[in-house]
Amino acid sequence: GAVVSQHPSRVICKSGTSVKIECRSLDFQATTMFWYRQFPKQSLMLMATSNEGSKATYEQGVEKDKFLINHASLTLSTLTVTSAHPEDSSFYICSARDWSGELFFGEGSRLTVL
Amino acid sequence: AQSVAQPEDQVNVAEGNPLTVKCTYSVSGNPYLFWYVQYPNRGLQFLLKYITGDNLVKGSYGFEAEFNKSQTSFHLKKPSALVSDSALYFCAVRDTGNTPLVFGKGTRLSVIA
């Protein structure tokens, strides 16, 4: 089946720095990718919808200047957490939709901000 | 707007016994329903989906789910649980092919040997 790769799987950074997480569709083109955030023992919260070549659509309550999303190609979307703080520590998961509408999820990226 | 309810935070079952993980949904149109499984520190793995057709959907690893329109439910079932089935299970719904998935809060399944 289709594969979505997320990198890095784990990242630790200092407070105030920025961190970039990549989401790649390895064997299909994804016009739409979704970014989710998952708090410990909680469900996935949709952060934003990323469409190739256009600005991301953010969910209510998600700071677009804090969580920068770029979808520059049909196989890559990036999430940059800017000026990270400890409360940004979380598990971030991306998903990519193929031409048929099928969704495939990445393995997730655990961010720890010290 | 669509929503999903998973009423149980935790389900415990003995190995070899049948298991059920409950899910109810709310959508304005026809539902697209999904079940995913998540192991610790991993992403989501697709189990099965209902789009249209037969109400009983068979998926990966011996799991199945039954779509019940009158009860707006999509419970996940397996006839004989394995210890390796222990994980976090998410039910998800969307109302068209282009809207994002909305997830339930998840149900932790624990299968005891």
Side-chain angles (χ1 to χ4, degrees), chain A residues 10 34 36 38 41-44 46 49 59 91 93 97 100-108 110, chain B residues 34 36 38 41-46 49 88 90 94 97-106 108:
Chain A
R10 291 176 181 268
F34 303 95
Y36 291 87
Q38 185 180 27
K41 299 183 179 180
Q42 293 191 32
S43 188
L44 281 72
L46 179 66
T49 301
E59 295 299 302
F91 195 55
I93 302 175
R97 186 161 64 199
S100 71
E102 193 75 39
L103 273 179
F104 301 91
F105 284 83
E107 286 291 297
R110 181 162 299 285
Chain B
F34 302 79
Y36 290 88
Q38 184 181 34
N41 294 308
R42 303 291 298 276
L44 272 65
Q45 293 182 31
F46 171 79
K49 67 180 178 183
L88 188 57
F90 289 100
R94 64 177 188 237
N98 292 323
T99 55
L101 280 179
V102 173
F103 286 86
K105 64 178 181 177
R108 187 163 300 281

Side-chain angles (χ1 to χ4, degrees), chain A residues 7-24:
Chain A
H7 178 80
S9 57
R10 291 176 181 268
V11 57
I12 301 172
C13 70
K14 293 181 179 180
S15 186
T17 60
S18 294
V19 173
K20 181 185 286 188
I21 300 170
E22 293 185 347
C23 179
R24 292 181 185 273

Side-chain angles (χ1 to χ4, degrees), chain A residues 76-91:
Chain A
L76 174 64
S77 176
T78 60
L79 167 68
T80 301
V81 183
T82 62
S83 187
H85 291 283
E87 59 265 29
D88 298 325
S89 298
S90 194
F91 195 55

Side-chain angles (χ1 to χ4, degrees), chain B residues 37-55:
Chain B
V37 60
Q38 184 181 34
Y39 295 96
N41 294 308
R42 303 291 298 276
L44 272 65
Q45 293 182 31
F46 171 79
L47 281 179
L48 51 81
K49 67 180 178 183
Y50 171 83
I51 303 297
T52 186
D54 210 354
N55 288 346

Side-chain angles (χ1 to χ4, degrees), chain B residues 77-89:
Chain B
K77 299 184 179 184
K78 186 172 182 180
S80 178
L82 300 172
V83 172
S84 57
D85 293 330
S86 299
L88 188 57
Y89 290 81

